[in-house]
Amino acid sequence: MTAAARDLIHAMGYAQTTLADIARAADVPLGNVYYYYKTKDALAQAVIDTRAEEFKQLTQELDRLSDPRARIEGYLSMLVLDSEAIARHGCPIGGLCTELNKSDSPLAKPANALLRSQLDWLTRQFQQMGKAEEAAELALQLLMQLQGASVLTQAFKDATLFTRQVANSKLWLQTLT
Amino acid sequence: MTAAARDLIHAMGYAQTTLADIARAADVPLGNVYYYYKTKDALAQAVIDTRAEEFKQLTQELDRLSDPRARIEGYLSMLVLDSEAIARHGCPIGGLCTELNKSDSPLAKPANALLRSQLDWLTRQFQQMGKAEEAAELALQLLMQLQGASVLTQAFKDATLFTRQVANSKLWLQTLT
DNA sequence: GTCTATACGGCGATAGAC
DNA sequence: GTCTATCGCCGTATAGAC
């Protein structure tokens, strides 16, 4: 059920996604939702937890690579796989943060933490590339480009825009000595 | 009234902003809203038109500068003035596009056109800088960085993040021969 | 644990007095 | 043109049968 909720929230936004939508997509009766989650917010929190877990799994895979640069490239390659979904619905995490940070929902903080953890992981990779001093700034630059590319990719409905930006970012990554 | 609607939609998002909110902020009775706008969507369209008009006014001012590079710098300087608002509510245009492109509202197209017109104006400036061939790509790069900076600035609630990115963009602008 | 029916509140939209 | 009252619908949440 959290999987259905995750996909619907990505596609329609949190406020626009109704519990009836989720129940239908998960093929359970509406009333049943409340047996597993006390409130809609509680379900959204579970979705955020799922997103956090997914990213943790991804980084655990990537961290097995010995070269930090290769790890970042792997991360970028994973993102490209979702470029069509990004063209349709934007970045699932960036979009969620953008929405939840309006009219301060209690969910804003955990959602923001998803972006923060991506920033932190990227920072660690740049540190291990010997960029101790500029690591935080480089991570910020990269994440910013990805988020900006997501916004424009969605608005202009052009998935190639995202893939081209990722290609640019990979080239940029190579220029870092 | 469109001014109140514009500000509230920026602060809370379109779906979350009720006509009662707008009526209260504009200090008119709720029923009165419908004398001026047939539907909520019609009011939102007026807000989008207002945004388009504001950008047109801005570019008319900037276009009086003879140097295209100075025009872009002026544009960036205007954005910095809103960095606090961006930290609280994100980019008013990017956020609107992000929201409206989910669950295809008829308002998505006009909202996307706001971003498109910024891209087109920037492209023209780069063309006049003698970058005919790469102008579209450069405009895309710049707009992408601004949108990405807006997303992260809002999520991390750090206005200096936006001002720093704009400073970086100005430096980058100088490097273009 | 699973499902149906429904309470309750809020929002877009309308009717109609003034 | 301006304002009040209210309709109808939908969404969250709950009650309670099975």
mmCIF file of all heavy atoms in Angstrom, chain D residues 5-16:
data_model
loop_
_atom_site.group_PDB
_atom_site.id
_atom_site.type_symbol
_atom_site.label_atom_id
_atom_site.label_comp_id
_atom_site.label_asym_id
_atom_site.label_seq_id
_atom_site.Cartn_x
_atom_site.Cartn_y
_atom_site.Cartn_z
ATOM 1 P P DA D 5 -26.061 35.818 7.271
ATOM 2 O OP1 DA D 5 -26.963 36.124 8.406
ATOM 3 O OP2 DA D 5 -24.649 35.470 7.514
ATOM 4 O "O5'" DA D 5 -26.726 34.650 6.420
ATOM 5 C "C5'" DA D 5 -27.903 34.919 5.659
ATOM 6 C "C4'" DA D 5 -28.230 33.692 4.808
ATOM 7 O "O4'" DA D 5 -27.389 33.682 3.625
ATOM 8 C "C3'" DA D 5 -28.006 32.356 5.519
ATOM 9 O "O3'" DA D 5 -29.125 31.526 5.296
ATOM 10 C "C2'" DA D 5 -26.726 31.814 4.887
ATOM 11 C "C1'" DA D 5 -26.785 32.411 3.485
ATOM 12 N N9 DA D 5 -25.483 32.629 2.854
ATOM 13 C C8 DA D 5 -24.357 33.151 3.431
ATOM 14 N N7 DA D 5 -23.328 33.226 2.615
ATOM 15 C C5 DA D 5 -23.814 32.706 1.427
ATOM 16 C C6 DA D 5 -23.214 32.504 0.168
ATOM 17 N N6 DA D 5 -21.948 32.818 -0.099
ATOM 18 N N1 DA D 5 -23.985 31.963 -0.814
ATOM 19 C C2 DA D 5 -25.258 31.653 -0.535
ATOM 20 N N3 DA D 5 -25.930 31.804 0.610
ATOM 21 C C4 DA D 5 -25.134 32.340 1.557
ATOM 22 P P DT D 6 -29.221 30.079 6.035
ATOM 23 O OP1 DT D 6 -30.630 29.911 6.437
ATOM 24 O OP2 DT D 6 -28.127 29.943 7.024
ATOM 25 O "O5'" DT D 6 -28.937 29.092 4.829
ATOM 26 C "C5'" DT D 6 -29.403 29.455 3.529
ATOM 27 C "C4'" DT D 6 -28.754 28.578 2.484
ATOM 28 O "O4'" DT D 6 -27.481 29.129 2.045
ATOM 29 C "C3'" DT D 6 -28.443 27.142 2.937
ATOM 30 O "O3'" DT D 6 -28.903 26.279 1.928
ATOM 31 C "C2'" DT D 6 -26.925 27.135 3.024
ATOM 32 C "C1'" DT D 6 -26.600 28.051 1.854
ATOM 33 N N1 DT D 6 -25.206 28.562 1.801
ATOM 34 C C2 DT D 6 -24.529 28.509 0.594
ATOM 35 O O2 DT D 6 -25.024 28.068 -0.424
ATOM 36 N N3 DT D 6 -23.263 29.004 0.636
ATOM 37 C C4 DT D 6 -22.600 29.534 1.741
ATOM 38 O O4 DT D 6 -21.453 29.952 1.659
ATOM 39 C C5 DT D 6 -23.360 29.546 2.963
ATOM 40 C C7 DT D 6 -22.752 30.101 4.213
ATOM 41 C C6 DT D 6 -24.608 29.064 2.942
ATOM 42 P P DC D 7 -29.295 24.777 2.313
ATOM 43 O OP1 DC D 7 -30.667 24.835 2.873
ATOM 44 O OP2 DC D 7 -28.221 24.161 3.110
ATOM 45 O "O5'" DC D 7 -29.353 24.052 0.906
ATOM 46 C "C5'" DC D 7 -29.608 24.831 -0.263
ATOM 47 C "C4'" DC D 7 -28.672 24.407 -1.385
ATOM 48 O "O4'" DC D 7 -27.382 25.050 -1.219
ATOM 49 C "C3'" DC D 7 -28.414 22.895 -1.422
ATOM 50 O "O3'" DC D 7 -28.678 22.419 -2.732
ATOM 51 C "C2'" DC D 7 -26.944 22.755 -1.022
ATOM 52 C "C1'" DC D 7 -26.363 24.094 -1.457
ATOM 53 N N1 DC D 7 -25.169 24.524 -0.666
ATOM 54 C C2 DC D 7 -23.941 24.738 -1.312
ATOM 55 O O2 DC D 7 -23.856 24.570 -2.536
ATOM 56 N N3 DC D 7 -22.873 25.139 -0.577
ATOM 57 C C4 DC D 7 -22.998 25.313 0.738
ATOM 58 N N4 DC D 7 -21.922 25.717 1.424
ATOM 59 C C5 DC D 7 -24.227 25.090 1.418
ATOM 60 C C6 DC D 7 -25.277 24.693 0.685
ATOM 61 P P DG D 8 -28.943 20.832 -2.956
ATOM 62 O OP1 DG D 8 -29.869 20.663 -4.086
ATOM 63 O OP2 DG D 8 -29.217 20.208 -1.645
ATOM 64 O "O5'" DG D 8 -27.495 20.352 -3.427
ATOM 65 C "C5'" DG D 8 -26.862 21.043 -4.499
ATOM 66 C "C4'" DG D 8 -25.487 20.443 -4.720
ATOM 67 O "O4'" DG D 8 -24.549 21.035 -3.778
ATOM 68 C "C3'" DG D 8 -25.424 18.923 -4.505
ATOM 69 O "O3'" DG D 8 -24.667 18.374 -5.567
ATOM 70 C "C2'" DG D 8 -24.756 18.778 -3.146
ATOM 71 C "C1'" DG D 8 -23.864 20.020 -3.076
ATOM 72 N N9 DG D 8 -23.612 20.525 -1.733
ATOM 73 C C8 DG D 8 -24.482 20.528 -0.670
ATOM 74 N N7 DG D 8 -23.975 21.069 0.406
ATOM 75 C C5 DG D 8 -22.690 21.449 0.027
ATOM 76 C C6 DG D 8 -21.656 22.088 0.770
ATOM 77 O O6 DG D 8 -21.692 22.458 1.950
ATOM 78 N N1 DG D 8 -20.518 22.282 -0.004
ATOM 79 C C2 DG D 8 -20.383 21.920 -1.321
ATOM 80 N N2 DG D 8 -19.225 22.194 -1.898
ATOM 81 N N3 DG D 8 -21.332 21.318 -2.030
ATOM 82 C C4 DG D 8 -22.455 21.120 -1.293
ATOM 83 P P DC D 9 -24.447 16.784 -5.632
ATOM 84 O OP1 DC D 9 -24.743 16.367 -7.016
ATOM 85 O OP2 DC D 9 -25.114 16.124 -4.468
ATOM 86 O "O5'" DC D 9 -22.876 16.703 -5.422
ATOM 87 C "C5'" DC D 9 -22.042 17.691 -6.034
ATOM 88 C "C4'" DC D 9 -20.669 17.618 -5.423
ATOM 89 O "O4'" DC D 9 -20.675 18.250 -4.111
ATOM 90 C "C3'" DC D 9 -20.164 16.187 -5.209
ATOM 91 O "O3'" DC D 9 -18.913 16.065 -5.880
ATOM 92 C "C2'" DC D 9 -20.044 16.057 -3.677
ATOM 93 C "C1'" DC D 9 -19.882 17.502 -3.229
ATOM 94 N N1 DC D 9 -20.343 17.808 -1.853
ATOM 95 C C2 DC D 9 -19.500 18.504 -0.978
ATOM 96 O O2 DC D 9 -18.380 18.837 -1.370
ATOM 97 N N3 DC D 9 -19.929 18.780 0.270
ATOM 98 C C4 DC D 9 -21.156 18.412 0.665
ATOM 99 N N4 DC D 9 -21.543 18.710 1.903
ATOM 100 C C5 DC D 9 -22.042 17.697 -0.215
ATOM 101 C C6 DC D 9 -21.594 17.417 -1.454
ATOM 102 P P DC D 10 -18.258 14.608 -6.140
ATOM 103 O OP1 DC D 10 -17.888 14.517 -7.566
ATOM 104 O OP2 DC D 10 -19.124 13.568 -5.521
ATOM 105 O "O5'" DC D 10 -16.916 14.710 -5.290
ATOM 106 C "C5'" DC D 10 -16.246 15.978 -5.164
ATOM 107 C "C4'" DC D 10 -15.378 15.961 -3.921
ATOM 108 O "O4'" DC D 10 -16.157 16.314 -2.751
ATOM 109 C "C3'" DC D 10 -14.750 14.600 -3.628
ATOM 110 O "O3'" DC D 10 -13.416 14.817 -3.234
ATOM 111 C "C2'" DC D 10 -15.599 14.093 -2.461
ATOM 112 C "C1'" DC D 10 -15.880 15.387 -1.724
ATOM 113 N N1 DC D 10 -17.024 15.384 -0.777
ATOM 114 C C2 DC D 10 -16.919 16.103 0.411
ATOM 115 O O2 DC D 10 -15.880 16.713 0.656
ATOM 116 N N3 DC D 10 -17.975 16.091 1.278
ATOM 117 C C4 DC D 10 -19.082 15.419 0.970
ATOM 118 N N4 DC D 10 -20.093 15.454 1.845
ATOM 119 C C5 DC D 10 -19.202 14.677 -0.247
ATOM 120 C C6 DC D 10 -18.150 14.685 -1.086
ATOM 121 P P DG D 11 -12.305 13.649 -3.403
ATOM 122 O OP1 DG D 11 -11.522 13.981 -4.589
ATOM 123 O OP2 DG D 11 -12.997 12.341 -3.273
ATOM 124 O "O5'" DG D 11 -11.407 13.832 -2.098
ATOM 125 C "C5'" DG D 11 -11.160 15.139 -1.582
ATOM 126 C "C4'" DG D 11 -10.884 15.031 -0.102
ATOM 127 O "O4'" DG D 11 -12.130 15.191 0.608
ATOM 128 C "C3'" DG D 11 -10.312 13.680 0.304
ATOM 129 O "O3'" DG D 11 -9.145 13.808 1.097
ATOM 130 C "C2'" DG D 11 -11.433 13.009 1.061
ATOM 131 C "C1'" DG D 11 -12.280 14.159 1.558
ATOM 132 N N9 DG D 11 -13.682 13.766 1.646
ATOM 133 C C8 DG D 11 -14.409 13.079 0.707
ATOM 134 N N7 DG D 11 -15.637 12.839 1.079
ATOM 135 C C5 DG D 11 -15.723 13.402 2.336
ATOM 136 C C6 DG D 11 -16.809 13.463 3.232
ATOM 137 O O6 DG D 11 -17.952 13.003 3.104
ATOM 138 N N1 DG D 11 -16.478 14.132 4.408
ATOM 139 C C2 DG D 11 -15.236 14.684 4.670
ATOM 140 N N2 DG D 11 -15.084 15.287 5.848
ATOM 141 N N3 DG D 11 -14.209 14.636 3.838
ATOM 142 C C4 DG D 11 -14.528 13.981 2.697
ATOM 143 P P DT D 12 -8.382 12.503 1.660
ATOM 144 O OP1 DT D 12 -6.966 12.745 1.336
ATOM 145 O OP2 DT D 12 -9.069 11.304 1.159
ATOM 146 O "O5'" DT D 12 -8.586 12.586 3.239
ATOM 147 C "C5'" DT D 12 -8.294 13.790 3.915
ATOM 148 C "C4'" DT D 12 -8.882 13.759 5.313
ATOM 149 O "O4'" DT D 12 -10.315 13.574 5.213
ATOM 150 C "C3'" DT D 12 -8.361 12.621 6.195
ATOM 151 O "O3'" DT D 12 -7.965 13.160 7.444
ATOM 152 C "C2'" DT D 12 -9.560 11.667 6.326
ATOM 153 C "C1'" DT D 12 -10.749 12.599 6.145
ATOM 154 N N1 DT D 12 -11.979 11.965 5.590
ATOM 155 C C2 DT D 12 -13.165 12.028 6.301
ATOM 156 O O2 DT D 12 -13.257 12.575 7.391
ATOM 157 N N3 DT D 12 -14.244 11.421 5.706
ATOM 158 C C4 DT D 12 -14.257 10.770 4.484
ATOM 159 O O4 DT D 12 -15.288 10.259 4.053
ATOM 160 C C5 DT D 12 -12.986 10.744 3.781
ATOM 161 C C7 DT D 12 -12.900 10.073 2.451
ATOM 162 C C6 DT D 12 -11.928 11.335 4.359
ATOM 163 P P DA D 13 -7.159 12.190 8.523
ATOM 164 O OP1 DA D 13 -6.434 13.065 9.459
ATOM 165 O OP2 DA D 13 -6.433 11.154 7.774
ATOM 166 O "O5'" DA D 13 -8.355 11.498 9.325
ATOM 167 C "C5'" DA D 13 -9.296 12.353 9.987
ATOM 168 C "C4'" DA D 13 -10.492 11.530 10.426
ATOM 169 O "O4'" DA D 13 -11.243 11.102 9.265
ATOM 170 C "C3'" DA D 13 -10.165 10.245 11.208
ATOM 171 O "O3'" DA D 13 -10.565 10.432 12.560
ATOM 172 C "C2'" DA D 13 -10.948 9.148 10.490
ATOM 173 C "C1'" DA D 13 -11.941 9.940 9.643
ATOM 174 N N9 DA D 13 -12.376 9.262 8.416
ATOM 175 C C8 DA D 13 -11.595 8.921 7.347
ATOM 176 N N7 DA D 13 -12.258 8.317 6.377
ATOM 177 C C5 DA D 13 -13.562 8.254 6.853
ATOM 178 C C6 DA D 13 -14.749 7.732 6.305
ATOM 179 N N6 DA D 13 -14.816 7.142 5.108
ATOM 180 N N1 DA D 13 -15.884 7.841 7.042
ATOM 181 C C2 DA D 13 -15.814 8.421 8.248
ATOM 182 N N3 DA D 13 -14.759 8.949 8.864
ATOM 183 C C4 DA D 13 -13.652 8.837 8.106
ATOM 184 P P DT D 14 -10.409 9.237 13.627
ATOM 185 O OP1 DT D 14 -10.224 9.877 14.944
ATOM 186 O OP2 DT D 14 -9.434 8.266 13.127
ATOM 187 O "O5'" DT D 14 -11.863 8.574 13.619
ATOM 188 C "C5'" DT D 14 -12.990 9.431 13.690
ATOM 189 C "C4'" DT D 14 -14.267 8.619 13.744
ATOM 190 O "O4'" DT D 14 -14.597 8.131 12.425
ATOM 191 C "C3'" DT D 14 -14.228 7.389 14.646
ATOM 192 O "O3'" DT D 14 -15.437 7.363 15.395
ATOM 193 C "C2'" DT D 14 -14.148 6.225 13.665
ATOM 194 C "C1'" DT D 14 -14.977 6.774 12.514
ATOM 195 N N1 DT D 14 -14.705 6.158 11.190
ATOM 196 C C2 DT D 14 -15.772 5.686 10.454
ATOM 197 O O2 DT D 14 -16.924 5.743 10.829
ATOM 198 N N3 DT D 14 -15.421 5.138 9.248
ATOM 199 C C4 DT D 14 -14.141 5.022 8.719
ATOM 200 O O4 DT D 14 -13.961 4.513 7.624
ATOM 201 C C5 DT D 14 -13.085 5.537 9.543
ATOM 202 C C7 DT D 14 -11.674 5.461 9.072
ATOM 203 C C6 DT D 14 -13.409 6.077 10.729
ATOM 204 P P DA D 15 -15.566 6.389 16.670
ATOM 205 O OP1 DA D 15 -15.755 7.247 17.856
ATOM 206 O OP2 DA D 15 -14.490 5.380 16.651
ATOM 207 O "O5'" DA D 15 -16.947 5.653 16.331
ATOM 208 C "C5'" DA D 15 -17.819 6.215 15.354
ATOM 209 C "C4'" DA D 15 -18.970 5.258 15.079
ATOM 210 O "O4'" DA D 15 -18.754 4.628 13.778
ATOM 211 C "C3'" DA D 15 -19.110 4.101 16.065
ATOM 212 O "O3'" DA D 15 -20.488 3.759 16.177
ATOM 213 C "C2'" DA D 15 -18.277 2.996 15.423
ATOM 214 C "C1'" DA D 15 -18.527 3.243 13.943
ATOM 215 N N9 DA D 15 -17.398 2.908 13.071
ATOM 216 C C8 DA D 15 -16.061 3.072 13.331
ATOM 217 N N7 DA D 15 -15.274 2.697 12.346
ATOM 218 C C5 DA D 15 -16.156 2.255 11.365
ATOM 219 C C6 DA D 15 -15.951 1.734 10.073
ATOM 220 N N6 DA D 15 -14.742 1.561 9.525
ATOM 221 N N1 DA D 15 -17.052 1.396 9.360
ATOM 222 C C2 DA D 15 -18.261 1.575 9.900
ATOM 223 N N3 DA D 15 -18.571 2.066 11.108
ATOM 224 C C4 DA D 15 -17.468 2.387 11.796
ATOM 225 P P DG D 16 -20.968 2.734 17.311
ATOM 226 O OP1 DG D 16 -22.321 3.190 17.717
ATOM 227 O OP2 DG D 16 -19.910 2.552 18.327
ATOM 228 O "O5'" DG D 16 -21.128 1.377 16.491
ATOM 229 C "C5'" DG D 16 -21.858 1.386 15.268
ATOM 230 C "C4'" DG D 16 -21.582 0.112 14.493
ATOM 231 O "O4'" DG D 16 -20.317 0.208 13.805
ATOM 232 C "C3'" DG D 16 -21.486 -1.174 15.353
ATOM 233 O "O3'" DG D 16 -22.145 -2.215 14.662
ATOM 234 C "C2'" DG D 16 -19.990 -1.420 15.407
ATOM 235 C "C1'" DG D 16 -19.647 -1.014 13.990
ATOM 236 N N9 DG D 16 -18.239 -0.848 13.689
ATOM 237 C C8 DG D 16 -17.231 -0.405 14.513
ATOM 238 N N7 DG D 16 -16.076 -0.393 13.931
ATOM 239 C C5 DG D 16 -16.315 -0.869 12.646
ATOM 240 C C6 DG D 16 -15.440 -1.079 11.563
ATOM 241 O O6 DG D 16 -14.226 -0.877 11.520
ATOM 242 N N1 DG D 16 -16.118 -1.559 10.442
ATOM 243 C C2 DG D 16 -17.463 -1.821 10.375
ATOM 244 N N2 DG D 16 -17.935 -2.279 9.229
ATOM 245 N N3 DG D 16 -18.286 -1.622 11.398
ATOM 246 C C4 DG D 16 -17.652 -1.149 12.487
#
